[in-house]
Amino acid sequence: MGSKGRSDLSMFFDARSVAIFGSFREWGGLGSGVLENMMKLGYGGRVYPISRSQTEVMGLRTHAAIREVSEAVDLAVVITPRSAVPEIIRECAESGVKAAVIVSEHFAEAGDEGAELQRQLADVARRDGIRIMGPNTIGILNAANGLVTNPYLFDSKKIRQGGIAYCSQTGITGAQCQPLEDRGLGISKMCDIGNKCDVDEVDLLDYLAGDPETSVVAMHLEDVKDGRRFMEAARKLAACKPLVILKSGRSEAGAKASASHTGSLTGNDRIYDHAFRQVGAVRVSEWQEYWDIPKVFATGRLPEGNRIAIVTYSGGAGVVAADVAADVGLVVPGFSSATVEKLSKLSPRSAGNPIDLGPILSSAYEPASTQEEALSAVVSDDNVDCVAIGMYVGPLAPVEYLTDLIDRFMLNVSKPVAFWIYGPKLSIVEEAARQLEARGMPTFTDFETAVRALGKAARYAEFRRSLDNVAV
Amino acid sequence: MGSKGRSDLSMFFDARSVAIFGSFREWGGLGSGVLENMMKLGYGGRVYPISRSQTEVMGLRTHAAIREVSEAVDLAVVITPRSAVPEIIRECAESGVKAAVIVSEHFAEAGDEGAELQRQLADVARRDGIRIMGPNTIGILNAANGLVTNPYLFDSKKIRQGGIAYCSQTGITGAQCQPLEDRGLGISKMCDIGNKCDVDEVDLLDYLAGDPETSVVAMHLEDVKDGRRFMEAARKLAACKPLVILKSGRSEAGAKASASHTGSLTGNDRIYDHAFRQVGAVRVSEWQEYWDIPKVFATGRLPEGNRIAIVTYSGGAGVVAADVAADVGLVVPGFSSATVEKLSKLSPRSAGNPIDLGPILSSAYEPASTQEEALSAVVSDDNVDCVAIGMYVGPLAPVEYLTDLIDRFMLNVSKPVAFWIYGPKLSIVEEAARQLEARGMPTFTDFETAVRALGKAARYAEFRRSLDNVAV
């Protein structure tokens, strides 16, 4: 279970037994929702529904109170009206429960009375040592063991295991709202810290810094409770793993909205911006970036410099991508003479960067091998630190053709390569992207985000190199 | 056919007869590709494949040369090796063909020899009066009559007719690469002007300004041939229809890439930016915006001011949306006292803007009617000029539930409302978006783009009001 410091959150993510407080009615019972989601994801721990009115729920025996459970339970999930919560948490603490996710809402975000109840929870946590996540949260998901505290039914049969930890201060990031499976995201853990009466972003940063399953952390924040502690934790994490932050409430309107969402005081955005830069965090400003930018980091590859190769089958897409590369501080160098020579043999007209492989393709006798040669030449070019490739999938190049081709030219490539897959049928594009993600190839829904991700990666790599230089 | 000035492009878009020069072999013949695409879209005009080697193609009798066709054909589509093109165009002009789309490539974009051939084409166009689009283009698509010159097979069975004209200088915007049908885009016409040896962006602007099928123009440009003429035409169009421009080659790297793509000299970007603003064009910088921003204009509704209401079922999404609203110059006002009163009756805690309907929903006895009441109150609030709404679709609220709800609260609403639909299954989200688009509800793949679209609409509306004031 790792070290037992305050920031050890393994009693949440690695809980071997879970008690659920909530409604277990058949339709729309949120306690039943947690159970069903756990079953879907194949959670193998012991689960105890706590209910006075039912003796059995979905094949599980219920207990009327937590003290009647014969073992000391690791984790409680609480989804009751708010007034019942403080007493439940006290009982849990008494019975040796180590941690609780409080899904119930209407606490600090809902006015004075709720704020007072939330203070009571924080007191219990401090006094009795039980750790609390929330209230007003959907809690956690661990892709490795299928543990999930989300009470809202989701369709996913499986969350693909991978290196990205997604942490937020909102429930919309949960599997009930996001096409995690359809997008093929490779996830280690997910976490909604809600109103943060106890567990906060700092605990999470400390825990994830040491989590071997997590190679990159994406974090959505509305506020930071303790700036100094946050800086320390973020600096420690970013020194070993990329940390992507979506800090909202940047504007006055956003800050006002945030106060009524999670009771957060968002603070001056310039200070945040400066702080994030100082600790080496990668800041993003929109949800699509929160989901997508971490993909390029999940490969574990960082560019050795800021030189990008842009490969397209459309000159028009290449020009826009080159503009975005310039926006994010990447340069678009000429290819080395060796590459130019190779490319010139394949086509008299396609040796520039961005390179449009369309003309090569339309004049090649063996398009597949010609493409492979051209792509291999580009991705292994010494002038190039990272590569963005836009590729078509559809009737003229089915999914298997595409994945085979990519497998071949990506063999032995160690620099980061970001893909944009496009085509006339969304279902086919999405299937190709899913298969590429599963192969560890970061795949984006637009070319610009692919390029931006590489720009962020180059900047983070520079930060990491600056640390190494200091260390020397 | 409208007025017969130089900028009348109806001989392209309304051609009643088309001759096709290209390969008609069964597999991969590009001439056959055009034919097949035309059949798919149900083009009802007369089609003449020109071939010396085949007597029949896909049930159509061929002719060995254009002069053997018994009628004066409106439009020629040319997809032959480049060396054959000038002679074909000369023969077409002699035979009374009014216009030609030259798909063939390797002209000005491919060096001196190609540039010389392209000059010859321009000479024929000038001398013999035949209008030429291209070379290096996939030409046009008219959703109203199924006329299409794109030789690359696409999957779409139907392009939905609507008010948006998409014009570009690249082939990747064609139906062979873009999920036009899956996205449910409502399209009037599409056009790739390629190397612009004759027909250029100014002709297109002039033509589309007078096209009754087109209510908004999206234009991708790498360069502008004649700044003064462009300004005049853009000003004229933007005074009556929104003009959304993606001008690429903003950066040095992008400009260099553009030269080898279409032989364009992109020029100083600041000058473009200033010019676009002056004529009232709406500038965007990425492809997703090129496709999506026009949707909000296609409704024909413009906001009367810059006050936005943001409706979510997630506080977290609302905060980010409020930030983006501020970025694009929108304000997020409080609701009027009448609205606050209505909302307060539905839930004690949801009368702010952004409004999170989650709490209302979770406490309502009749969620459907409660949502409808809340949404109706917000969209009809006098303090609000436009509305962005993020809504869930999935197991808990199926497509039909969503569309019915939206139909009800959108009844009698005349201000612009932009939708973001999200959920755990991409196929269901996409189906919902398609159905909403078909009902004239602009639907976006992320909330931020929905808000940005409204910001662009508010700015354009302000421009239009400034014209009215001058006119008075």
Side-chain angles (χ1 to χ4, degrees), chain B residues 355-406:
Chain B
I355 178 167
D356 175 2
L357 296 185
I360 286 189
L361 202 55
S362 62
S363 58
Y365 287 105
E366 291 186 24
S369 63
T370 308
Q371 275 184 96
E372 187 187 332
E373 275 179 70
L375 286 157
S376 289
V378 170
V379 295
S380 60
D381 187 291
D382 284 341
N383 280 6
V384 162
D385 301 306
C386 56
V387 186
I389 305 180
M391 294 183 94
Y392 162 95
V393 71
L396 302 173
V399 175
E400 205 187 322
Y401 173 88
L402 187 78
T403 51
D404 281 357
L405 173 64
I406 292 175

Side-chain angles (χ1 to χ4, degrees), chain A residues 105-106 109-110 155 170 172 175-183 220 222 246-251 253-255 257-258 260-261 285-288 314-320 322-324 326-327 332 349 354 356 359 362 392 395 420 422-428 430 446 448 452, chain B residues 105-106 109-110 155 170 172 175-183 220 222 246-251 253-255 257-258 260-261 285-288 314-320 322-324 326-327 332 349 354 356 359 362 392 395 420 422-428 430 446 448 452:
Chain A
E105 49 190 15
H106 308 302
E109 81 281 12
D155 261 354
T170 175
I172 200 174
Q176 84 283 10
C177 288
Q178 299 296 332
L180 305 176
E181 188 181 15
D182 282 354
R183 290 268 185 238
H220 157 258
E222 295 196 347
L246 170 60
K247 164 70 181 67
S248 63
R250 292 182 285 117
S251 63
S258 173
S260 74
H261 173 223
S285 55
E286 309 206 351
W287 283 109
Q288 198 204 323
S314 150
V319 177
V320 173
D323 284 341
V324 173
D327 290 343
V332 187
R349 260 195 68 206
D356 175 2
S362 61
Y392 162 96
W420 167 51
Y422 63 90
K425 279 283 166 211
L426 286 177
S427 57
I428 295 174
E430 287 155 5
D446 63 9
E448 292 88 336
R452 251 193 303 274
Chain B
E105 49 189 16
H106 307 301
E109 82 280 12
D155 261 354
T170 174
I172 201 174
Q176 85 283 9
C177 287
Q178 300 295 331
L180 305 177
E181 188 181 16
D182 282 353
R183 290 268 184 239
H220 157 259
E222 295 196 347
L246 170 60
K247 164 70 181 69
S248 63
R250 291 182 286 117
S251 64
S258 173
S260 75
H261 173 222
S285 55
E286 309 206 350
W287 283 109
Q288 198 203 322
S314 152
V319 178
V320 173
D323 284 341
V324 174
D327 291 343
V332 186
R349 253 195 73 206
D356 175 2
S362 62
Y392 162 95
W420 166 51
Y422 63 90
K425 279 283 165 210
L426 286 178
S427 57
I428 294 174
E430 288 155 3
D446 63 10
E448 293 89 335
R452 252 194 302 275

Side-chain angles (χ1 to χ4, degrees), chain A residues 449-472:
Chain A
T449 305
V451 172
R452 251 193 303 274
L454 292 169
K456 303 271 186 194
R459 195 157 166 181
Y460 175 71
E462 204 184 321
F463 168 77
R464 286 287 293 270
R465 283 192 298 274
S466 75
L467 295 185
D468 293 345
N469 292 341
V470 170
V472 170

Side-chain angles (χ1 to χ4, degrees), chain A residues 47-356:
Chain A
V47 183
Y48 302 99
I50 308 295
S51 172
R52 282 192 196 132
S53 56
Q54 284 164 268
T55 54
E56 197 198 286
V57 173
M58 297 169 81
L60 292 170
R61 193 196 135 198
T62 66
H63 292 76
I66 185 72
R67 75 178 68 86
E68 292 176 16
V69 176
S70 57
E71 69 164 319
V73 169
D74 285 340
L75 178 67
V77 183
V78 184
I79 325 153
T80 62
R82 69 176 182 183
S83 55
V85 177
E87 186 51 31
I88 287 173
I89 296 297
R90 268 187 288 268
E91 288 175 15
C92 283
E94 273 169 29
S95 302
V97 175
K98 299 185 189 73
V101 167
I102 302 178
V103 178
S104 315
E105 49 190 15
H106 308 302
F107 285 87
E109 81 281 12
D112 293 343
E113 204 178 326
E116 172 49 34
L117 280 169
Q118 185 169 319
R119 260 189 302 275
Q120 293 179 24
L121 297 177
D123 287 344
V124 181
R126 229 185 335 266
R127 206 185 48 216
D128 300 344
I130 186 172
R131 297 304 310 270
I132 297 177
M133 188 175 293
N136 188 19
T137 177
I138 56 165
I140 64 152
L141 181 152
N142 183 345
N145 63 11
L147 176 55
V148 59
T149 62
N150 189 337
Y152 304 108
L153 287 183
F154 47 79
D155 261 354
S156 305
K157 286 179 294 288
K158 198 173 160 41
I159 306 289
R160 189 169 74 78
Q161 250 189 283
I164 311 175
Y166 287 104
C167 313
S168 71
Q169 243 184 298
T170 175
I172 200 174
T173 52
Q176 84 283 10
C177 288
Q178 299 296 332
L180 305 176
E181 188 181 15
D182 282 354
R183 290 268 185 238
L185 291 171
I187 292 172
S188 62
K189 297 179 167 66
M190 298 185 79
C191 183
D192 165 14
I193 48 180
N195 288 9
K196 308 195 283 194
C197 86
D198 173 27
V199 170
D200 63 14
E201 61 281 357
V202 173
D203 298 310
L204 212 47
L205 289 170
D206 283 343
Y207 172 70
L208 292 172
D211 178 31
E213 314 274 351
T214 297
S215 60
V216 46
V217 176
M219 184 170 267
H220 157 258
L221 285 171
E222 295 196 347
D223 71 344
V224 162
K225 295 258 150 166
D226 179 334
R228 199 189 47 79
R229 282 181 62 226
F230 174 82
M231 291 280 283
E232 233 168 69
R235 195 191 306 273
K236 205 179 114 207
L237 190 145
C240 61
K241 298 175 185 183
L243 171 59
V244 176
I245 297 183
L246 170 60
K247 164 70 181 67
S248 63
R250 292 182 285 117
S251 63
E252 205 185 313
K256 222 174 112 189
S258 173
S260 74
H261 173 223
T262 52
S264 296
L265 296 169
T266 54
N268 184 318
D269 193 65
R270 281 206 194 157
I271 296 175
Y272 278 110
D273 210 55
H274 180 73
F276 294 154
R277 202 167 331 205
Q278 230 188 318
V279 298
V282 173
R283 187 170 190 181
V284 298
S285 55
E286 309 206 351
W287 283 109
Q288 198 204 323
E289 293 186 318
Y290 168 85
W291 291 110
D292 283 357
I293 298 288
K295 291 179 180 180
V296 82
F297 288 110
T299 62
R301 301 163 178 192
L302 289 175
E304 289 182 11
N306 67 345
R307 301 166 306 169
I308 187 174
I310 295 169
V311 184
T312 71
Y313 293 74
S314 150
V319 177
V320 173
D323 284 341
V324 173
D327 290 343
V328 296
L330 295 171
V331 300
V332 187
F335 293 127
S336 70
S337 54
T339 302
V340 170
E341 200 176 315
K342 279 184 219 161
L343 293 172
S344 301
K345 276 185 199 147
L346 299 173
S347 158
R349 260 195 68 206
S350 293
N353 180 19
I355 178 166
D356 175 2

Side-chain angles (χ1 to χ4, degrees), chain B residues 117-379:
Chain B
L117 281 169
Q118 186 169 318
R119 261 189 301 276
Q120 292 179 24
L121 297 178
D123 286 345
V124 180
R126 228 182 339 265
R127 205 185 48 218
D128 300 343
I130 186 171
R131 295 305 309 269
I132 298 177
M133 188 174 294
N136 188 22
T137 178
I138 55 166
I140 64 151
L141 181 152
N142 183 345
N145 62 11
L147 175 56
V148 57
T149 62
N150 189 338
Y152 304 108
L153 287 183
F154 48 81
D155 261 354
S156 306
K157 287 178 292 290
K158 197 170 160 46
I159 307 291
R160 188 169 74 79
Q161 252 188 282
I164 311 174
Y166 286 105
C167 313
S168 71
Q169 246 186 295
T170 174
I172 201 174
T173 50
Q176 85 283 9
C177 287
Q178 300 295 331
L180 305 177
E181 188 181 16
D182 282 353
R183 290 268 184 239
L185 292 172
I187 293 172
S188 61
K189 297 179 167 66
M190 297 185 79
C191 182
D192 165 14
I193 48 179
N195 288 8
K196 308 194 284 194
C197 86
D198 173 29
V199 170
D200 63 16
E201 61 280 358
V202 173
D203 297 311
L204 212 47
L205 289 170
D206 283 344
Y207 173 69
L208 293 171
D211 177 32
E213 314 274 352
T214 297
S215 61
V216 45
V217 176
M219 184 170 267
H220 157 259
L221 285 171
E222 295 196 347
D223 71 344
V224 162
K225 296 257 150 168
D226 180 334
R228 199 188 49 76
R229 280 182 61 229
F230 173 81
M231 291 280 283
E232 234 168 68
R235 194 189 307 272
K236 206 179 115 211
L237 190 143
C240 58
K241 298 177 186 181
L243 171 60
V244 175
I245 297 184
L246 170 60
K247 164 70 181 69
S248 63
R250 291 182 286 117
S251 64
E252 206 184 310
K256 222 174 111 187
S258 173
S260 75
H261 173 222
T262 51
S264 295
L265 296 169
T266 53
N268 184 318
D269 192 65
R270 282 206 194 156
I271 296 174
Y272 278 110
D273 210 54
H274 180 74
F276 295 153
R277 201 165 334 204
Q278 229 187 318
V279 299
V282 173
R283 188 170 189 180
V284 298
S285 55
E286 309 206 350
W287 283 109
Q288 198 203 322
E289 293 185 318
Y290 168 84
W291 291 109
D292 284 356
I293 298 288
K295 290 178 181 180
V296 82
F297 288 111
T299 61
R301 300 162 179 193
L302 289 176
E304 288 181 13
N306 67 345
R307 300 168 305 170
I308 187 174
I310 296 171
V311 183
T312 72
Y313 292 74
S314 152
V319 178
V320 173
D323 284 341
V324 174
D327 291 343
V328 297
L330 294 171
V331 301
V332 186
F335 293 127
S336 70
S337 54
T339 302
V340 170
E341 198 176 317
K342 280 184 217 160
L343 293 172
S344 301
K345 275 186 200 148
L346 299 173
S347 158
R349 253 195 73 206
S350 293
N353 180 18
I355 178 167
D356 175 2
L357 296 185
I360 286 189
L361 202 55
S362 62
S363 58
Y365 287 105
E366 291 186 24
S369 63
T370 308
Q371 275 184 96
E372 187 187 332
E373 275 179 70
L375 286 157
S376 289
V378 170
V379 295

